[in-house]
Amino acid sequence: MAKAKGKIGVLLVNLGTPDSTKTGDVRKYLREFLMDGRVIDFPFIPRWMLVNLIIAPFRAPKSAGEYRKLWTDRGSPLLFHTQDLKDKLVAKLDPKEYLVSMAMRYQTPSIESGLKELMDAKVRKIIVVPLFPQYASATNGSVIDRVMEIARTWQIIPEMTFVSNYVDHPLFLEAWAELGREAMQKQDYDKFVFSYHGLPERQIRKGSVDGYCQLGACCNKYGLKNQFCYRAQCFQTTRLVAEKLGLPDDKVLTCFQSRLGKDPWVKPYTEDVIKELAKDGIKKVLVFSPAFVADCLETTVEVGEEYKEQFEELGGEHWDLVPSLNSSDTWVNCVKDLVESRA
């Protein structure tokens, strides 16, 4: 008699989103998100005071208004794009071999519920895929940390594999290149901006290997010592996508957005790049946001609307945002390969 063999469980994890655009739900989301010690890496008491007494109470009403601009009949784009990705992945994987679940690092569906679904099905192995292409402690690291925190309470822990990053995966790069080519067929551009979510400089330094990180030219090369440096991974992503698109170096810029607080974050800041572009008389810009694989507040509203408005106020004519990967076929194939290569 053949031995029964469990399926391989796959857990897709994205960042998270409020349950609704109500201020209370947004405040709840912000509290959970920002109380993560890998996101705001302060000791617990000052972090609690900062988040619960300052950031969440005052930021929630404004953020709720921003989410209302984003919300659709299907709800939060980040949530339904992740659901669409999961559904398409399920259709491409062998149902006899794989069971796919999805989760959000913050709010619902939770990582705990996603893991429970897999464990209830008696999977023999779990592959965790954080949907953040460039490793950072605050994203991929936080997902891995939370999965391990839950798993260590189990009596039976199956084999587990984590996908830490995939900045140089050919299908990830091709998925972005396809979207870029589509946009470039409609318009000629003077510059190509790659805007990534920012991080405090201190978090980059904490992960520096042998003091390698200088937050500067060290990111011009990607290798053993900076393979998990978030800033270096972002510059590498830019170089590889630009190479696929045949973009000249002098037309490509990498920058960082979404700064929170007064501490120095990784530079250059997207806001400063916009000012420099306008000052230099640049009129037409195509923007990529390759740190995000699903359109969300930071892409659609921050980059697509707020930065566009800033650029046009300074004399720019075209600030066009390339949509995120969402559930494009090439991106789905990339995730499929990330899973199958670890099975």
Side-chain angles (χ1 to χ4, degrees), residues 86-101:
K86 175 199 165 184
D87 293 344
K88 288 188 175 183
L89 181 64
V90 167
K92 285 181 175 287
L93 291 172
D94 184 347
K96 295 179 181 179
E97 292 290 328
Y98 296 94
L99 176 64
V100 183
S101 183

Side-chain angles (χ1 to χ4, degrees), residues 17-21 67-81 295-296:
T17 181
D19 291 334
S20 77
T21 60
Y67 276 110
R68 289 185 195 106
K69 297 178 185 177
L70 186 73
W71 229 251
T72 73
D73 292 341
R74 294 185 66 190
S76 164
L78 185 140
L79 184 61
F80 68 69
H81 284 312
D295 277 317
C296 55

Side-chain angles (χ1 to χ4, degrees), residues 27-268:
R27 185 180 296 114
K28 180 182 175 184
Y29 167 72
L30 289 175
R31 281 176 171 155
E32 183 182 356
F33 172 36
L34 299 176
M35 277 304 296
D36 185 337
R38 286 180 176 266
V39 174
I40 297 184
D41 51 338
F42 294 169
F44 178 80
I45 292 177
R47 183 170 75 249
W48 188 95
M49 294 176 69
L50 177 65
V51 172
N52 290 281
L53 302 181
I54 300 175
I55 299 178
F58 293 100
R59 192 181 178 97
K62 179 182 177 183
S63 293
E66 299 300 302
Y67 276 110
R68 289 185 195 106
K69 297 178 185 177
L70 186 73
W71 229 251
T72 73
D73 292 341
R74 294 185 66 190
S76 164
L78 185 140
L79 184 61
F80 68 69
H81 284 312
T82 306
Q83 180 67 56
D84 291 346
L85 172 65
K86 175 199 165 184
D87 293 344
K88 288 188 175 183
L89 181 64
V90 167
K92 285 181 175 287
L93 291 172
D94 184 347
K96 295 179 181 179
E97 292 290 328
Y98 296 94
L99 176 64
V100 183
S101 183
M102 64 168 272
M104 296 288 141
R105 175 59 185 90
Y106 312 105
Q107 298 297 284
T108 53
S110 68
I111 290 178
E112 191 168 18
S113 69
L115 288 172
K116 184 178 185 303
E117 178 185 353
L118 300 179
M119 291 299 287
D120 285 349
K122 299 176 178 59
V123 297
R124 61 183 169 88
K125 177 176 181 176
I126 296 175
I127 301 172
V128 180
V129 186
L131 296 173
F132 312 102
Q134 302 83 18
Y135 176 88
S137 173
T139 52
N140 312 58
S142 179
V143 169
I144 294 168
D145 195 353
R146 178 61 179 147
V147 170
M148 292 192 293
E149 180 185 15
I150 294 167
R152 71 170 178 246
T153 67
W154 299 342
Q155 188 66 33
I156 298 174
I157 301 178
E159 180 182 350
M160 281 194 174
T161 299
F162 299 94
V163 179
S164 291
N165 67 4
Y166 37 93
V167 294
D168 52 2
H169 193 289
L171 291 173
F172 168 70
L173 300 171
E174 181 56 31
W176 276 110
E178 286 175 357
L179 293 168
R181 291 186 198 107
E182 185 177 341
M184 291 163 64
Q185 287 174 356
K186 302 173 185 176
Q187 174 75 56
D188 292 327
Y189 293 96
D190 304 320
K191 293 285 184 177
F192 300 87
V193 170
F194 289 73
S195 181
Y196 299 82
H197 199 289
L199 282 178
E201 289 183 352
R202 66 176 182 274
Q203 292 189 10
I204 303 293
R205 290 196 177 95
K206 279 183 178 181
S208 179
V209 176
D210 299 332
Y212 181 81
C213 179
Q214 302 298 318
L215 292 165
C218 52
C219 293
N220 292 342
K221 291 184 178 180
Y222 185 60
L224 188 63
K225 288 192 174 182
N226 64 0
Q227 62 182 320
F228 290 110
C229 167
Y230 176 74
R231 188 174 186 272
Q233 292 169 88
C234 292
F235 276 88
Q236 178 71 349
T237 303
T238 296
R239 283 191 292 268
L240 294 176
V241 175
E243 183 180 309
K244 274 194 167 287
L245 289 171
L247 305 178
D249 291 346
D250 62 350
K251 286 194 172 186
V252 177
L253 295 164
T254 296
C255 49
F256 300 88
Q257 63 185 81
S258 309
R259 182 163 47 129
L260 175 66
K262 296 181 179 179
D263 287 348
W265 281 40
V266 288
K267 301 178 183 69

